[in-house]
Amino acid sequence: MSRKTSVRHFEENLSELETIVAQLESNQLSLEDALKAFEKGVKLSQDCQSVLTQAEQKVQILLEKHDGERLETFDPESDQ
């Protein structure tokens, strides 16, 4: 899968995941439909996480190759 395809696939999965979350939060689904939506959401979440992990690995390789930098763990609280 090319990089553009991966990004598009990721964005589509993320959008679908957001839709599923909204459906689940609306409490309008039957229990059976909610379980199916939840199962699909878990799969989409795993797919998105896989793409993000691959992207992080590529960034790490590029940083190490060019200037020996290491990625630091992101902490949103540290900027405050």
Side-chain angles (χ1 to χ4, degrees):
M1 187 180 305
S2 74
R3 188 187 78 73
K4 285 186 179 182
T5 303
S6 293
V7 170
R8 184 171 48 245
H9 182 69
F10 173 81
E11 291 171 352
E12 290 169 358
N13 283 352
L14 189 57
S15 178
E16 189 172 354
L17 184 56
E18 290 170 344
T19 299
I20 288 171
V21 169
Q23 289 173 340
L24 291 170
E25 288 177 340
S26 75
N27 294 323
Q28 298 297 315
L29 299 175
S30 67
L31 178 58
E32 184 177 338
D33 289 341
L35 287 172
K36 287 178 185 177
F38 181 78
E39 183 177 5
K40 186 171 186 176
V42 168
K43 171 82 170 85
L44 290 169
S45 176
Q46 290 170 339
D47 290 348
C48 288
Q49 184 59 49
S50 176
V51 171
L52 290 173
T53 299
Q54 290 173 8
E56 181 180 8
Q57 290 170 346
K58 287 178 185 178
V59 168
Q60 185 64 52
I61 289 168
L62 290 171
L63 288 174
E64 288 175 359
K65 208 181 258 190
H66 291 288
D67 54 15
E69 294 284 329
R70 299 281 308 161
L71 288 179
E72 294 181 24
T73 303
F74 176 69
D75 180 9
E77 301 295 321
S78 66
D79 288 340
Q80 294 180 348

